[in-house]
Amino acid sequence: MKGLELAEKYYEAYGRKMIEENFPEIRDQIAAGLVGQGSECLGFDDEISMDHDYGPSFCIWLPKDIYQTYGAKLQEAYQNLPQEFMGFHGRVEEEQGKGRVGALCLEDFYADILGRSTVPDTIQEWLSMDEHALATATNGKIFADNLGQFSNIRDGLLSYYPKEVWLRKIVQSMAKAAQAGQYNYARAMKRGERIAAEIALTEFIQEIMQLVYLLNRKYAPYYKWMHRGMQELSCCAEIADMINLFYQIPDPAAAWEDVSPEEYVYNLNTNDGRVLIIEAICNIIVQELNAQGLSELQDNFLQNHLQTVLQKIDTTA
């Protein structure tokens, strides 16, 4: 059973009753759910994930003034709930995973993840936010929130980046992807610098994944879940399968043997299957830019779309 489903069933079986019967005076001040760090909050947990931070558990968020009075009592009541549920034993926590569930201060929860407990107000504040942290603060599920304070912050974050920030991030990822995959990968392979070529390819993949999340207006999760999460996106999701192809084709070194420095300066080395995949991925990105009205160009080189996208800032502010 997925950890998120287990958490909700556990809350409905024991948590809700515990709060209503033992803390009736503050039940309308409490939010409950499972949000934050851990694959279970993303719904990506599996049998491998069960070795840590898995088991019947949930979060209880209290505003700071209420937490200061009731936090310790509520945590004690939470710890006294049955430790075994539906055949699953109590949550096994690693040292770095402690404090992710149970009674939590609402403001501190957001501040610990985001560095702030409020939704950013300005363009500069949004630009300074870590995207993986935004994904962490808005994943999971809320089971109950009578006060609405926790959900109001969450909803403000889920409203996504202001358009100017969104467009600037798209441009940044396009520039890095073009530089790494459409330029430096080939140059490194021509020089026989295989390590540099692998690093360029890896950066291309990372920036393309980031770009796909941006085009879907969804925060990208922690790097090890970015590819897995692409399967649930609505546009450009096929790029996830195309990325797999990079690791299924034969070693491309032979395609670059006896290549002179002058060759493939402006033309693609189509003997290297990785080059073909890079260009196919970039073509999908270009078509999506066209579909969203972000660029009218058909040029496959992502670098050539940067100014076109930036020009949209003034017209969409």
Side-chain angles (χ1 to χ4, degrees), residues 159-219:
S159 293
Y160 205 59
Y161 296 120
K163 284 187 176 180
E164 179 177 343
V165 175
W166 177 59
L167 293 173
R168 289 188 182 279
K169 284 183 172 289
I170 287 174
V171 166
Q172 183 180 52
S173 283
M174 281 202 303
K176 290 182 178 179
Q179 182 75 4
Q182 294 181 289
Y183 183 76
N184 278 330
Y185 171 76
R187 294 175 72 85
M189 289 299 290
K190 281 192 290 187
R191 292 189 173 105
E193 295 283 354
R194 291 300 303 275
I195 299 301
E198 294 301 321
I199 292 172
L201 180 63
T202 298
E203 181 163 341
F204 171 78
I205 291 171
Q206 182 168 316
E207 291 302 330
I208 283 294
M209 290 193 295
Q210 179 72 48
L211 187 52
V212 170
Y213 277 92
L214 285 164
L215 291 172
N216 278 272
R217 293 175 173 81
K218 185 176 178 64
Y219 298 126

Side-chain angles (χ1 to χ4, degrees), residues 31-57:
L34 186 65
V35 178
Q37 297 171 324
S39 58
E40 69 277 8
C41 296
L42 291 164
F44 296 162
D45 52 317
D46 53 23
E47 291 182 359
I48 296 175
S49 309
M50 292 182 179
D51 65 340
H52 68 285
D53 298 342
Y54 183 86
S57 55

Side-chain angles (χ1 to χ4, degrees), residues 1-25:
M1 181 183 295
K2 293 287 188 180
L4 195 57
E5 181 183 359
L6 179 63
E8 186 168 14
K9 290 181 181 295
Y10 184 58
Y11 167 76
E12 292 296 343
Y14 297 112
R16 185 186 295 275
K17 182 178 180 181
M18 178 269 288
I19 291 170
E20 292 180 349
E21 292 186 355
N22 297 352
F23 301 93
E25 68 275 27

Side-chain angles (χ1 to χ4, degrees), residues 8-271:
E8 186 168 14
K9 290 181 181 295
Y10 184 58
Y11 167 76
E12 292 296 343
Y14 297 112
R16 185 186 295 275
K17 182 178 180 181
M18 178 269 288
I19 291 170
E20 292 180 349
E21 292 186 355
N22 297 352
F23 301 93
E25 68 275 27
I26 60 167
R27 64 182 181 183
D28 291 338
Q29 306 290 314
I30 289 175
L34 186 65
V35 178
Q37 297 171 324
S39 58
E40 69 277 8
C41 296
L42 291 164
F44 296 162
D45 52 317
D46 53 23
E47 291 182 359
I48 296 175
S49 309
M50 292 182 179
D51 65 340
H52 68 285
D53 298 342
Y54 183 86
S57 55
F58 56 90
C59 304
I60 307 169
W61 296 284
L62 303 166
K64 181 167 290 186
D65 56 339
I66 304 297
Y67 179 80
Q68 290 173 343
T69 302
Y70 288 92
K73 298 176 184 177
L74 192 54
Q75 179 64 21
E76 182 180 0
Y78 172 83
Q79 290 175 334
N80 286 332
L81 295 176
Q83 294 299 297
E84 187 169 325
F85 178 67
M86 298 184 67
F88 296 98
H89 296 291
R91 181 180 173 101
V92 177
E93 293 184 332
E94 292 185 334
E95 186 63 31
Q96 63 268 33
K98 291 183 178 180
R100 294 180 179 177
V101 295
L104 304 170
C105 173
L106 185 158
E107 291 88 346
D108 289 348
F109 172 82
Y110 281 114
D112 288 345
I113 295 174
L114 300 173
R116 59 184 299 134
S117 59
T118 58
V119 178
D121 292 319
T122 67
I123 297 298
Q124 290 304 315
E125 286 178 350
W126 274 107
L127 285 170
S128 69
M129 299 297 292
D130 180 89
E131 183 158 344
H132 300 163
L134 287 166
T136 300
T138 56
N139 63 21
K141 186 176 181 180
I142 307 302
F143 308 151
D145 187 3
N146 294 322
L147 180 63
Q149 183 177 345
F150 187 91
S151 296
N152 285 341
I153 298 172
R154 178 183 175 87
D155 291 344
L157 297 170
L158 285 171
S159 293
Y160 205 59
Y161 296 120
K163 284 187 176 180
E164 179 177 343
V165 175
W166 177 59
L167 293 173
R168 289 188 182 279
K169 284 183 172 289
I170 287 174
V171 166
Q172 183 180 52
S173 283
M174 281 202 303
K176 290 182 178 179
Q179 182 75 4
Q182 294 181 289
Y183 183 76
N184 278 330
Y185 171 76
R187 294 175 72 85
M189 289 299 290
K190 281 192 290 187
R191 292 189 173 105
E193 295 283 354
R194 291 300 303 275
I195 299 301
E198 294 301 321
I199 292 172
L201 180 63
T202 298
E203 181 163 341
F204 171 78
I205 291 171
Q206 182 168 316
E207 291 302 330
I208 283 294
M209 290 193 295
Q210 179 72 48
L211 187 52
V212 170
Y213 277 92
L214 285 164
L215 291 172
N216 278 272
R217 293 175 173 81
K218 185 176 178 64
Y219 298 126
Y222 184 53
Y223 76 90
K224 75 174 182 177
W225 299 119
M226 286 178 72
H227 185 256
R228 165 67 178 80
M230 288 175 68
Q231 300 171 16
E232 301 177 1
L233 302 178
S234 58
C235 75
C236 302
E238 66 270 32
I239 289 178
D241 291 332
M242 297 173 73
I243 288 172
N244 288 331
L245 297 177
F246 283 122
Y247 306 99
Q248 297 173 14
I249 63 175
D251 188 330
W256 297 92
E257 291 179 358
D258 303 320
V259 172
S260 69
E262 293 77 19
E263 289 185 270
Y264 306 115
V265 175
Y266 298 107
N267 299 307
L268 303 176
N269 183 355
T270 56
N271 293 321

